[in-house]
Each structure stands twice: as structure tokens, then as C-alpha cells.
Amino acid sequence: ELSSSSATSSSATSSSANPPPPVQFIANTSVKVAVIAGLMVGLVLSTGAPLILRLMGLSPYSSSAKVYYAAMRYLRVRSVAAPAVLLLTVAEGVFRGFGDTRTTLKASLMAATANLILDPLLMFGPLFMDVGGAAAATVAAQYLAAAFLLRKLHSGRKITLFSSPSPSPPPPSSSAPGARSVVRQMLKANLSMLVKQVSLLSAWAFSTRRGGPPR
């Protein structure tokens, strides 16, 4: 949600099958920023899982120990999907900017179907992974949907991940944005959404801690 709005507005300037190089550049930069940010978020969630759970009122040395260890398994497995989650968000924004909502619907249906099939297989049998299985099923479904959208973006020439959108450098008078400019625009567009999300997460963590089991 944080990066979808800026990706939508940036790519909405062109709805043609072959967008101009500046639009491709913005889409490319958005996708790469999403992957890098996702790796960073995943690392923070994985390494900071004990602290996050303690802030939410769970502890391995209290009556909530069973919930604590289950939540730890779930959070660490789910952290693997952070790049896919942000990539999905940005890709959906790019497709909406180009006026294509069918492809994102197909990706959502694909992820939901994969999750529906994998959940019982990983949670109950034959692997009996319990809560970790539920997290693994969601991770696999999100990566599947992200790969589908990324392939559609690349095959539709909306992004060119493995080659430059423009074979020759733009002239000095060109208004094509640079990578820093694109990142600045994304951060500026998402600042209010970031404040909203941080506030919501903080409120949920505080409420969970206050309403948690006695220690």
C-alpha cells in the first residue's frame, strides 16, 4: 500500500502498450527499490522477531510462552516473503497506472488458490508444520503471484529489468527523471501512508500488550 500509490501515479502518464523510456525507467526503479526495501524489511523482521514479540506483550518466560514460540516461527517464516510483498504492491500499482486491473486480479486469484491448496498440506499433512506451514504456504503463494506479475511486466515491455529502457543517453535538455528523483518522489508520496501504518502498528502493539495474558 505504501508504494502502490506512487507507482500508480508515476505510470499513469502513459497507457500505451509500449510506454516511453521515462515511464519504463520509473517502473524499473520502483521495482528495484521494492526488492531492496523488501530484503531490508525481511532482515529486520527475522532478526528483530524476539523484540517485536516482547513489545506486543509476549514472553518465553511467562504463561504466553507457547504463543510466543508459535508467533516466532510464523514471523520468521513470513519475513522471507517481504521482498515479494513489496514487489506485489509496486507491480499492482504499475498495472493500475496502465489501466490494467485484469492481470492483478489473475495474480490475486493465483495466490489465493495456491494458498488454499498449500495450507492444509503444510499445516496438517504430510509435513505437519503447524503454524510454520501456514506461513510457508502464504510465502509460496506470494512469490508465485509476484513472479507472475514480474513476467507480465517484462513481457509487456512495461519494465526492462535486464536492459536499459533507452539505448542511448537522453539529451541534456531531457526531463527524464533520475533514480534519486524517482526515489525522492516515492518517499514524498508515501510519507503520510508511512506515518499512518506506523501509527496503526504501534496502536495494535500497545493494545495487544495491554490485553495480553498475565505474566
Side-chain angles (χ1 to χ4, degrees):
E1 185 180 354
L2 290 177
S3 44
S4 177
S5 58
S6 59
T8 301
S9 60
S10 298
S11 57
T13 56
S14 174
S15 58
S16 61
N18 296 307
V23 177
Q24 285 187 335
F25 181 77
I26 292 172
N28 283 356
T29 304
S30 299
V31 168
K32 291 172 183 177
V33 168
V35 173
I36 294 172
L39 291 172
M40 294 172 62
V41 170
L43 181 62
V44 170
L45 289 176
S46 179
T47 58
L51 176 61
I52 293 171
L53 295 178
R54 284 177 179 275
L55 290 175
M56 299 185 73
L58 297 177
S59 171
Y61 309 111
S62 68
S63 58
S64 63
K66 187 175 181 180
V67 177
Y68 173 88
Y69 287 112
M72 178 78 73
R73 289 198 305 274
Y74 185 87
L75 183 57
R76 282 185 165 161
V77 174
R78 286 289 287 117
S79 67
V80 177
V85 172
L86 289 183
L87 181 58
L88 274 172
T89 304
V90 168
E92 288 172 358
V94 172
F95 275 109
R96 284 202 303 269
F98 284 107
D100 182 358
T101 56
R102 290 187 178 182
T103 302
T104 55
L105 176 61
K106 290 178 182 177
S108 297
L109 291 175
M110 182 184 299
T113 302
N115 215 336
L116 183 65
I117 295 172
L118 292 175
D119 263 334
L121 292 178
L122 297 181
M123 289 177 66
F124 307 114
L127 298 179
F128 297 101
M129 294 173 62
D130 198 30
V131 174
T138 304
V139 169
Q142 288 174 331
Y143 270 107
L144 178 65
F148 172 76
L149 289 183
L150 195 61
R151 178 178 174 275
K152 287 292 184 181
L153 283 173
H154 194 269
S155 62
R157 298 186 180 277
K158 293 178 175 63
I159 63 172
T160 52
L161 291 179
F162 307 110
S163 61
S164 173
S166 178
S168 59
S173 59
S174 173
S175 60
R180 290 185 179 180
S181 175
V182 173
V183 173
R184 269 199 308 269
Q185 290 176 13
M186 291 177 64
L187 292 176
K188 184 177 179 181
N190 291 319
L191 181 60
S192 59
M193 296 294 294
L194 180 62
V195 172
K196 171 192 168 186
Q197 291 295 99
V198 171
S199 300
L200 283 174
L201 290 174
S202 300
W204 289 338
F206 177 77
S207 300
T208 304
R209 186 177 181 87
R210 295 279 296 188
R215 286 174 289 175

Short mmCIF file of all heavy atoms in Angstrom, two decimals, residues 111-160:
data_model
loop_
_atom_site.label_atom_id
_atom_site.label_comp_id
_atom_site.label_asym_id
_atom_site.label_seq_id
_atom_site.Cartn_x
_atom_site.Cartn_y
_atom_site.Cartn_z
N ALA A 111 -2.66 -16.50 -6.25
CA ALA A 111 -2.12 -16.59 -4.89
C ALA A 111 -3.13 -17.22 -3.94
O ALA A 111 -2.76 -18.05 -3.09
CB ALA A 111 -1.75 -15.19 -4.40
N ALA A 112 -4.41 -16.86 -4.07
CA ALA A 112 -5.44 -17.42 -3.19
C ALA A 112 -5.58 -18.93 -3.41
O ALA A 112 -5.72 -19.70 -2.45
CB ALA A 112 -6.77 -16.72 -3.44
N THR A 113 -5.54 -19.36 -4.67
CA THR A 113 -5.67 -20.79 -4.97
C THR A 113 -4.47 -21.57 -4.43
O THR A 113 -4.63 -22.65 -3.84
CB THR A 113 -5.78 -21.00 -6.50
OG1 THR A 113 -6.90 -20.27 -7.00
CG2 THR A 113 -5.95 -22.47 -6.83
N ALA A 114 -3.27 -21.02 -4.64
CA ALA A 114 -2.07 -21.69 -4.13
C ALA A 114 -2.10 -21.79 -2.61
O ALA A 114 -1.76 -22.83 -2.04
CB ALA A 114 -0.82 -20.92 -4.59
N ASN A 115 -2.55 -20.72 -1.97
CA ASN A 115 -2.64 -20.74 -0.51
C ASN A 115 -3.66 -21.76 -0.03
O ASN A 115 -3.44 -22.48 0.96
CB ASN A 115 -3.03 -19.35 -0.01
CG ASN A 115 -2.37 -18.99 1.30
OD1 ASN A 115 -1.98 -19.86 2.06
ND2 ASN A 115 -2.24 -17.72 1.58
N LEU A 116 -4.78 -21.84 -0.73
CA LEU A 116 -5.84 -22.78 -0.36
C LEU A 116 -5.35 -24.23 -0.46
O LEU A 116 -5.71 -25.07 0.37
CB LEU A 116 -7.05 -22.56 -1.27
CG LEU A 116 -8.29 -23.41 -0.99
CD1 LEU A 116 -8.88 -23.07 0.37
CD2 LEU A 116 -9.33 -23.21 -2.08
N ILE A 117 -4.52 -24.51 -1.46
CA ILE A 117 -4.01 -25.87 -1.65
C ILE A 117 -2.88 -26.19 -0.67
O ILE A 117 -2.82 -27.27 -0.08
CB ILE A 117 -3.53 -26.06 -3.10
CG1 ILE A 117 -4.71 -25.95 -4.07
CG2 ILE A 117 -2.83 -27.41 -3.27
CD1 ILE A 117 -4.31 -25.93 -5.53
N LEU A 118 -1.98 -25.23 -0.49
CA LEU A 118 -0.78 -25.48 0.32
C LEU A 118 -1.06 -25.46 1.83
O LEU A 118 -0.36 -26.15 2.58
CB LEU A 118 0.30 -24.45 -0.02
CG LEU A 118 0.92 -24.56 -1.41
CD1 LEU A 118 1.88 -23.41 -1.66
CD2 LEU A 118 1.64 -25.89 -1.57
N ASP A 119 -2.00 -24.66 2.27
CA ASP A 119 -2.27 -24.56 3.71
C ASP A 119 -2.51 -25.91 4.37
O ASP A 119 -1.81 -26.27 5.33
CB ASP A 119 -3.45 -23.61 3.97
CG ASP A 119 -2.98 -22.21 4.32
OD1 ASP A 119 -1.86 -22.06 4.83
OD2 ASP A 119 -3.73 -21.25 4.08
N PRO A 120 -3.50 -26.70 3.91
CA PRO A 120 -3.71 -27.99 4.59
C PRO A 120 -2.56 -28.96 4.41
O PRO A 120 -2.27 -29.76 5.31
CB PRO A 120 -5.00 -28.52 3.92
CG PRO A 120 -5.10 -27.80 2.63
CD PRO A 120 -4.50 -26.45 2.86
N LEU A 121 -1.87 -28.89 3.24
CA LEU A 121 -0.76 -29.81 3.01
C LEU A 121 0.41 -29.54 3.94
O LEU A 121 1.03 -30.47 4.46
CB LEU A 121 -0.30 -29.69 1.55
CG LEU A 121 -1.27 -30.18 0.48
CD1 LEU A 121 -0.68 -29.94 -0.91
CD2 LEU A 121 -1.59 -31.66 0.67
N LEU A 122 0.70 -28.27 4.18
CA LEU A 122 1.85 -27.93 5.02
C LEU A 122 1.51 -27.89 6.51
O LEU A 122 2.35 -28.21 7.34
CB LEU A 122 2.42 -26.57 4.58
CG LEU A 122 2.97 -26.50 3.15
CD1 LEU A 122 3.51 -25.11 2.85
CD2 LEU A 122 4.04 -27.55 2.92
N MET A 123 0.28 -27.50 6.82
CA MET A 123 -0.09 -27.39 8.24
C MET A 123 -0.36 -28.75 8.87
O MET A 123 0.07 -29.02 10.00
CB MET A 123 -1.32 -26.50 8.39
CG MET A 123 -1.07 -25.02 8.11
SD MET A 123 -2.59 -24.05 8.23
CE MET A 123 -2.97 -24.23 9.98
N PHE A 124 -1.07 -29.62 8.14
CA PHE A 124 -1.54 -30.87 8.75
C PHE A 124 -0.80 -32.09 8.21
O PHE A 124 -0.30 -32.91 8.96
CB PHE A 124 -3.04 -31.02 8.53
CG PHE A 124 -3.82 -29.82 8.99
CD1 PHE A 124 -4.50 -29.02 8.08
CD2 PHE A 124 -3.85 -29.46 10.33
CE1 PHE A 124 -5.21 -27.90 8.51
CE2 PHE A 124 -4.55 -28.35 10.76
CZ PHE A 124 -5.23 -27.56 9.85
N GLY A 125 -0.75 -32.25 6.95
CA GLY A 125 -0.08 -33.42 6.41
C GLY A 125 0.25 -33.21 4.95
O GLY A 125 -0.41 -32.44 4.27
N PRO A 126 1.32 -33.86 4.50
CA PRO A 126 2.16 -34.86 5.18
C PRO A 126 3.30 -34.27 6.01
O PRO A 126 4.03 -35.02 6.66
CB PRO A 126 2.74 -35.66 4.01
CG PRO A 126 2.85 -34.66 2.90
CD PRO A 126 1.69 -33.71 3.08
N LEU A 127 3.46 -32.93 6.00
CA LEU A 127 4.63 -32.35 6.68
C LEU A 127 4.36 -31.95 8.12
O LEU A 127 5.29 -31.84 8.92
CB LEU A 127 5.11 -31.11 5.89
CG LEU A 127 5.57 -31.40 4.46
CD1 LEU A 127 6.00 -30.11 3.76
CD2 LEU A 127 6.74 -32.40 4.47
N PHE A 128 3.10 -31.66 8.48
CA PHE A 128 2.72 -31.30 9.86
C PHE A 128 3.58 -30.16 10.40
O PHE A 128 4.18 -30.25 11.48
CB PHE A 128 2.84 -32.52 10.78
CG PHE A 128 1.90 -33.64 10.40
CD1 PHE A 128 2.38 -34.74 9.69
CD2 PHE A 128 0.56 -33.58 10.73
CE1 PHE A 128 1.53 -35.77 9.33
CE2 PHE A 128 -0.29 -34.62 10.37
CZ PHE A 128 0.19 -35.71 9.68
N MET A 129 3.63 -29.05 9.64
CA MET A 129 4.43 -27.90 10.05
C MET A 129 3.67 -26.92 10.94
O MET A 129 4.23 -25.92 11.39
CB MET A 129 4.95 -27.17 8.81
CG MET A 129 5.94 -27.98 7.99
SD MET A 129 6.38 -27.16 6.42
CE MET A 129 7.14 -25.66 7.02
N ASP A 130 2.38 -27.17 11.15
CA ASP A 130 1.58 -26.36 12.07
C ASP A 130 1.58 -24.88 11.63
O ASP A 130 1.37 -24.58 10.46
CB ASP A 130 2.11 -26.53 13.48
CG ASP A 130 1.10 -26.09 14.55
OD1 ASP A 130 -0.11 -26.19 14.30
OD2 ASP A 130 1.53 -25.64 15.62
N VAL A 131 1.84 -23.96 12.56
CA VAL A 131 1.81 -22.54 12.25
C VAL A 131 2.86 -22.18 11.20
O VAL A 131 2.61 -21.35 10.32
CB VAL A 131 2.04 -21.71 13.53
CG1 VAL A 131 2.16 -20.23 13.22
CG2 VAL A 131 0.89 -21.93 14.51
N GLY A 132 4.02 -22.79 11.28
CA GLY A 132 5.05 -22.55 10.27
C GLY A 132 4.60 -22.94 8.88
O GLY A 132 4.98 -22.31 7.90
N GLY A 133 3.77 -23.97 8.79
CA GLY A 133 3.24 -24.39 7.49
C GLY A 133 2.30 -23.35 6.90
O GLY A 133 2.31 -23.11 5.69
N ALA A 134 1.47 -22.74 7.76
CA ALA A 134 0.59 -21.68 7.29
C ALA A 134 1.39 -20.51 6.74
O ALA A 134 1.07 -19.93 5.70
CB ALA A 134 -0.32 -21.21 8.43
N ALA A 135 2.47 -20.15 7.44
CA ALA A 135 3.33 -19.06 6.98
C ALA A 135 4.02 -19.43 5.68
O ALA A 135 4.10 -18.62 4.75
CB ALA A 135 4.36 -18.73 8.05
N ALA A 136 4.52 -20.67 5.57
CA ALA A 136 5.23 -21.11 4.36
C ALA A 136 4.29 -21.12 3.16
O ALA A 136 4.70 -20.78 2.04
CB ALA A 136 5.84 -22.49 4.59
N ALA A 137 3.04 -21.52 3.37
CA ALA A 137 2.06 -21.53 2.29
C ALA A 137 1.82 -20.13 1.76
O ALA A 137 1.75 -19.90 0.54
CB ALA A 137 0.75 -22.15 2.77
N THR A 138 1.70 -19.17 2.66
CA THR A 138 1.49 -17.78 2.25
C THR A 138 2.71 -17.24 1.52
O THR A 138 2.59 -16.52 0.52
CB THR A 138 1.18 -16.90 3.47
OG1 THR A 138 0.05 -17.45 4.16
CG2 THR A 138 0.85 -15.47 3.05
N VAL A 139 3.91 -17.58 2.02
CA VAL A 139 5.15 -17.14 1.37
C VAL A 139 5.21 -17.66 -0.07
O VAL A 139 5.49 -16.91 -1.02
CB VAL A 139 6.38 -17.62 2.16
CG1 VAL A 139 7.65 -17.40 1.36
CG2 VAL A 139 6.48 -16.88 3.49
N ALA A 140 4.94 -18.96 -0.25
CA ALA A 140 5.00 -19.56 -1.58
C ALA A 140 3.97 -18.92 -2.51
O ALA A 140 4.26 -18.64 -3.68
CB ALA A 140 4.76 -21.07 -1.48
N ALA A 141 2.76 -18.68 -2.00
CA ALA A 141 1.70 -18.08 -2.82
C ALA A 141 2.07 -16.66 -3.25
O ALA A 141 1.83 -16.26 -4.40
CB ALA A 141 0.39 -18.07 -2.04
N GLN A 142 2.67 -15.90 -2.36
CA GLN A 142 3.04 -14.52 -2.69
C GLN A 142 4.19 -14.47 -3.69
O GLN A 142 4.19 -13.62 -4.59
CB GLN A 142 3.39 -13.76 -1.41
CG GLN A 142 2.16 -13.46 -0.56
CD GLN A 142 2.50 -12.83 0.77
OE1 GLN A 142 3.57 -13.05 1.33
NE2 GLN A 142 1.58 -12.04 1.30
N TYR A 143 5.16 -15.35 -3.56
CA TYR A 143 6.24 -15.39 -4.55
C TYR A 143 5.73 -15.84 -5.92
O TYR A 143 6.21 -15.36 -6.96
CB TYR A 143 7.38 -16.29 -4.07
CG TYR A 143 8.41 -15.55 -3.26
CD1 TYR A 143 8.51 -15.72 -1.89
CD2 TYR A 143 9.30 -14.67 -3.88
CE1 TYR A 143 9.46 -15.03 -1.14
CE2 TYR A 143 10.26 -13.98 -3.15
CZ TYR A 143 10.33 -14.17 -1.78
OH TYR A 143 11.26 -13.47 -1.04
N LEU A 144 4.78 -16.75 -5.93
CA LEU A 144 4.19 -17.19 -7.18
C LEU A 144 3.50 -16.03 -7.89
O LEU A 144 3.69 -15.81 -9.10
CB LEU A 144 3.20 -18.33 -6.92
CG LEU A 144 2.46 -18.87 -8.14
CD1 LEU A 144 3.44 -19.54 -9.11
CD2 LEU A 144 1.38 -19.89 -7.70
N ALA A 145 2.69 -15.28 -7.14
CA ALA A 145 1.99 -14.13 -7.72
C ALA A 145 2.96 -13.05 -8.16
O ALA A 145 2.79 -12.43 -9.22
CB ALA A 145 0.98 -13.57 -6.70
N ALA A 146 4.00 -12.81 -7.35
CA ALA A 146 4.99 -11.79 -7.71
C ALA A 146 5.74 -12.18 -8.98
O ALA A 146 5.98 -11.33 -9.85
CB ALA A 146 5.98 -11.60 -6.56
N ALA A 147 6.10 -13.45 -9.12
CA ALA A 147 6.79 -13.92 -10.33
C ALA A 147 5.88 -13.77 -11.55
O ALA A 147 6.34 -13.38 -12.64
CB ALA A 147 7.22 -15.37 -10.16
N PHE A 148 4.60 -14.05 -11.39
CA PHE A 148 3.64 -13.91 -12.49
C PHE A 148 3.54 -12.45 -12.94
O PHE A 148 3.61 -12.16 -14.15
CB PHE A 148 2.27 -14.43 -12.03
CG PHE A 148 1.15 -14.16 -13.01
CD1 PHE A 148 1.02 -14.91 -14.16
CD2 PHE A 148 0.24 -13.14 -12.76
CE1 PHE A 148 -0.01 -14.66 -15.07
CE2 PHE A 148 -0.79 -12.89 -13.64
CZ PHE A 148 -0.91 -13.65 -14.81
N LEU A 149 3.40 -11.53 -12.00
CA LEU A 149 3.29 -10.11 -12.36
C LEU A 149 4.58 -9.58 -12.97
O LEU A 149 4.56 -8.80 -13.92
CB LEU A 149 2.91 -9.28 -11.13
CG LEU A 149 1.48 -9.44 -10.61
CD1 LEU A 149 1.24 -8.51 -9.43
CD2 LEU A 149 0.46 -9.16 -11.70
N LEU A 150 5.71 -10.02 -12.43
CA LEU A 150 7.00 -9.57 -12.95
C LEU A 150 7.19 -10.05 -14.38
O LEU A 150 7.68 -9.30 -15.25
CB LEU A 150 8.14 -10.09 -12.06
CG LEU A 150 9.50 -9.44 -12.24
CD1 LEU A 150 9.43 -7.95 -11.92
CD2 LEU A 150 10.53 -10.11 -11.35
N ARG A 151 6.78 -11.27 -14.65
CA ARG A 151 6.88 -11.81 -16.02
C ARG A 151 5.98 -11.03 -16.96
O ARG A 151 6.37 -10.72 -18.10
CB ARG A 151 6.51 -13.29 -16.01
CG ARG A 151 6.53 -13.95 -17.38
CD ARG A 151 6.20 -15.43 -17.30
NE ARG A 151 6.09 -16.04 -18.60
CZ ARG A 151 4.99 -16.03 -19.33
NH1 ARG A 151 3.90 -15.43 -18.87
NH2 ARG A 151 4.96 -16.61 -20.51
N LYS A 152 4.78 -10.72 -16.51
CA LYS A 152 3.84 -9.95 -17.35
C LYS A 152 4.37 -8.54 -17.61
O LYS A 152 4.23 -8.01 -18.72
CB LYS A 152 2.48 -9.87 -16.66
CG LYS A 152 1.69 -11.17 -16.69
CD LYS A 152 1.27 -11.51 -18.11
CE LYS A 152 0.39 -12.75 -18.14
NZ LYS A 152 -0.01 -13.10 -19.53
N LEU A 153 4.96 -7.93 -16.60
CA LEU A 153 5.53 -6.59 -16.78
C LEU A 153 6.66 -6.62 -17.80
O LEU A 153 6.76 -5.74 -18.67
CB LEU A 153 6.04 -6.05 -15.44
CG LEU A 153 5.01 -5.53 -14.45
CD1 LEU A 153 5.67 -5.19 -13.12
CD2 LEU A 153 4.29 -4.29 -15.01
N HIS A 154 7.51 -7.63 -17.70
CA HIS A 154 8.67 -7.70 -18.59
C HIS A 154 8.24 -8.07 -20.01
O HIS A 154 8.72 -7.47 -20.99
CB HIS A 154 9.68 -8.72 -18.06
CG HIS A 154 11.02 -8.63 -18.70
ND1 HIS A 154 11.37 -9.37 -19.81
CD2 HIS A 154 12.11 -7.87 -18.41
CE1 HIS A 154 12.60 -9.08 -20.17
NE2 HIS A 154 13.08 -8.17 -19.34
N SER A 155 7.34 -9.04 -20.14
CA SER A 155 6.91 -9.45 -21.48
C SER A 155 6.07 -8.37 -22.16
O SER A 155 6.07 -8.27 -23.38
CB SER A 155 6.11 -10.76 -21.40
OG SER A 155 4.93 -10.58 -20.64
N GLY A 156 5.37 -7.56 -21.37
CA GLY A 156 4.60 -6.47 -21.93
C GLY A 156 5.40 -5.20 -22.15
O GLY A 156 4.85 -4.16 -22.52
N ARG A 157 6.72 -5.27 -21.92
CA ARG A 157 7.64 -4.15 -22.11
C ARG A 157 7.29 -2.93 -21.25
O ARG A 157 7.62 -1.80 -21.60
CB ARG A 157 7.69 -3.74 -23.59
CG ARG A 157 8.21 -4.84 -24.50
CD ARG A 157 8.39 -4.35 -25.92
NE ARG A 157 8.89 -5.42 -26.77
CZ ARG A 157 10.17 -5.76 -26.88
NH1 ARG A 157 11.07 -5.12 -26.18
NH2 ARG A 157 10.54 -6.74 -27.68
N LYS A 158 6.61 -3.18 -20.13
CA LYS A 158 6.36 -2.09 -19.18
C LYS A 158 7.60 -1.84 -18.33
O LYS A 158 7.81 -0.74 -17.83
CB LYS A 158 5.14 -2.42 -18.32
CG LYS A 158 3.83 -2.46 -19.11
CD LYS A 158 2.67 -2.84 -18.21
CE LYS A 158 1.34 -2.76 -18.97
NZ LYS A 158 1.27 -3.72 -20.08
N ILE A 159 8.38 -2.89 -18.14
CA ILE A 159 9.68 -2.74 -17.48
C ILE A 159 10.70 -3.51 -18.29
O ILE A 159 10.36 -4.44 -19.03
CB ILE A 159 9.67 -3.26 -16.02
CG1 ILE A 159 9.36 -4.76 -15.96
CG2 ILE A 159 8.68 -2.47 -15.17
CD1 ILE A 159 9.54 -5.34 -14.59
N THR A 160 11.97 -3.13 -18.17
CA THR A 160 13.06 -3.82 -18.84
C THR A 160 14.17 -4.01 -17.82
O THR A 160 15.08 -3.20 -17.72
CB THR A 160 13.58 -3.02 -20.05
OG1 THR A 160 13.88 -1.69 -19.60
CG2 THR A 160 12.55 -2.96 -21.14
#
